Amino acid sequence: INTNTKIIVGTNGEFADAIGSGVQILANQIIINGNIGANAKTISNKLELNGQSHKDSVILAKEAKIDILKGSLRGDKIVIGSVENGIIECNTLEINQINGGNLRAQNININELYYNSNIEFSRKCIVNNLKGGNNKIIFTPYGNLSLKKQINLLKTDLDSKDMEQQILQKKITSLIYKYSRFQSTANELKEMIKQYKEQNQEAPSYVMENYNYFLEIVKLIKSLKLKNLDLEKSKNDIENKIKSLQKEVFEAEFICKEGWLKYNDVIFELVLPKIRPSKTIIKGIGRYYFDSESKKIVHQKIFIDDEKEIDNYGF
């Protein structure tokens, strides 16, 4: 992939697969004139597909220009003519039309949006023409793939420490139960040891053993509580790192330029804190953003081209 390799694959039949089922191709640049078959995988820095990909195909490309996507794709800068129930993860995405699919990117520009699509973004999403319903426009830090990777690693660490803390808490609870049951007996033993000392006598070994057992319980509880505090601090540090990585999404905006239907949702969600996502419906053309003070998605009724306000537009 890091050489000057260039592969051009073609077919004479309009509906034939240029790349057959189960085939894998890896090259610096790939140009496909025809379709990609089921379970095929193409990996490249630059990809051009003059045809369509099967719903069970996989494309990995830094840059790609594709006629019709039905399979999955991961990359950096992607331009697609039509998406039909495809799955895409990238940084910058430009689509002429989409009818069903799952998109995730920092920046997304869609000319025509029809039905049944989940669109996740972290910076900016523009829809020129909204022509259908049952779509979800989701503000999420996971739209940034680099941040998504970092956040997931931190979440794994956080979950591990949370599990460790739960186990530790069970041990502490068990020891405190023993402590409470043994406390009155320990006080009696302590008094006995004191009396033996006042008489310059050595306390019987069974007395010392039982009392020292109680002291070990106390010592262990203190030690585990300190460890629990360290775990709590470590968890707080991880949570703060995750919250810091989410900052980009607070500046994100969704712009709908023309057309709208009632049955489309706009959602703002965070990884932390684990709160119920803010949600609204698309109320008309304009700009949508998340207001941190009210913790709600705000709709500005504006024309995108000249920024003039619209009176009584939408509901």
Side-chain angles (χ1 to χ4, degrees):
I1 199 168
N2 295 318
T3 67
N4 291 323
T5 312
K6 180 178 180 180
I7 294 177
I8 301 174
V9 186
T11 177
N12 293 325
E14 183 181 352
F15 301 103
D17 291 340
I19 298 178
S21 298
V23 176
Q24 177 171 299
I25 296 181
L26 185 149
N28 181 51
Q29 186 176 358
I30 300 174
I31 298 173
I32 304 165
N33 297 310
N35 302 330
I36 297 177
N39 301 311
K41 189 173 186 179
T42 55
I43 306 169
S44 66
N45 285 323
K46 289 186 178 180
L47 174 79
E48 182 179 328
L49 173 59
N50 301 306
Q52 66 182 19
S53 65
H54 191 276
K55 66 181 180 66
D56 295 322
S57 66
V58 175
I59 296 171
L60 305 176
K62 287 184 179 177
E63 295 181 21
K65 187 177 180 182
I66 296 169
D67 280 354
I68 302 171
L69 183 83
K70 294 182 178 180
S72 65
L73 183 156
R74 184 181 175 93
D76 181 21
K77 296 179 181 178
I78 309 297
V79 178
I80 301 175
S82 177
V83 175
E84 298 175 12
N85 294 306
I87 300 170
I88 304 169
E89 281 193 327
C90 63
N91 290 314
T92 303
L93 178 60
E94 185 176 331
I95 298 172
N96 182 44
Q97 64 178 32
I98 173 170
N99 193 358
N102 291 281
L103 315 181
R104 179 180 287 154
Q106 275 184 291
N107 297 294
I108 300 174
N109 197 323
I110 299 170
N111 184 38
E112 296 178 346
L113 172 59
Y114 288 86
Y115 295 89
N116 306 319
S117 299
N118 288 332
I119 300 165
E120 300 182 16
F121 71 102
S122 63
R123 190 173 291 171
K124 193 167 189 173
C125 177
I126 298 174
V127 174
N128 291 331
N129 297 284
L130 180 56
K131 294 193 169 186
N134 198 33
N135 298 294
K136 288 181 172 61
I137 313 293
I138 304 168
F139 292 71
T140 171
Y142 279 156
N144 185 319
L145 300 189
S146 175
L147 293 185
K148 177 191 171 187
K149 185 176 180 180
Q150 294 178 63
I151 289 170
N152 282 341
L153 286 172
L154 288 167
K155 274 187 68 183
T156 299
D157 194 16
L158 185 63
D159 291 342
S160 174
K161 284 183 168 49
D162 192 50
M163 184 65 70
E164 189 179 348
Q165 194 176 36
Q166 288 179 35
I167 294 169
L168 191 64
Q169 195 59 54
K170 286 180 180 179
K171 288 181 180 179
I172 293 171
T173 303
S174 176
L175 286 168
I176 289 174
Y177 176 73
K178 286 183 180 179
Y179 171 88
S180 61
R181 287 192 63 187
F182 199 59
Q183 188 175 15
S184 60
T185 303
N187 289 335
E188 291 174 5
L189 292 171
K190 185 178 180 182
E191 187 60 32
M192 288 173 63
I193 293 168
K194 181 182 176 183
Q195 290 175 6
Y196 276 113
K197 282 186 177 180
E198 287 175 352
Q199 297 172 11
N200 293 320
Q201 294 181 9
E202 189 174 324
S205 59
Y206 77 90
V207 173
M208 295 304 300
E209 286 173 5
N210 282 306
Y211 185 66
N212 287 335
Y213 174 74
F214 176 77
L215 292 180
E216 284 298 316
I217 291 174
V218 174
K219 184 179 177 181
L220 190 54
I221 289 171
K222 287 180 179 179
S223 172
L224 293 180
K225 281 188 173 182
L226 286 173
K227 189 176 180 180
N228 190 49
L229 287 173
D230 288 340
L231 277 172
E232 193 63 37
K233 182 180 181 302
S234 182
K235 282 173 59 180
N236 287 336
D237 289 342
I238 294 170
E239 287 177 356
N240 287 333
K241 286 178 184 177
I242 292 174
K243 288 175 183 177
S244 178
L245 290 172
Q246 296 179 140
K247 286 181 179 178
E248 179 180 84
V249 76
F250 288 99
E251 304 298 323
E253 60 179 359
F254 162 55
I255 295 170
C256 180
K257 291 188 176 182
E258 186 178 334
W260 58 278
L261 294 174
K262 294 180 181 180
Y263 307 108
N264 294 289
D265 294 329
V266 183
I267 300 165
F268 183 93
E269 62 181 25
L270 294 170
V271 179
L272 286 177
K274 294 177 181 178
I275 56 174
R276 191 174 179 180
S278 178
K279 183 177 178 180
T280 187
I281 55 173
I282 293 181
K283 301 172 182 177
I285 66 171
R287 173 176 178 257
Y288 295 78
Y289 67 95
F290 183 76
D291 179 63
S292 297
E293 286 190 14
S294 64
K295 293 182 172 54
K296 291 180 179 179
I297 297 168
V298 176
H299 172 219
Q300 286 183 325
K301 299 176 183 179
I302 58 171
F303 282 118
I304 302 306
D305 294 333
D306 56 14
E307 302 293 314
K308 289 181 180 177
E309 291 190 2
I310 303 172
D311 294 327
N312 301 319
Y313 194 92
F315 293 168

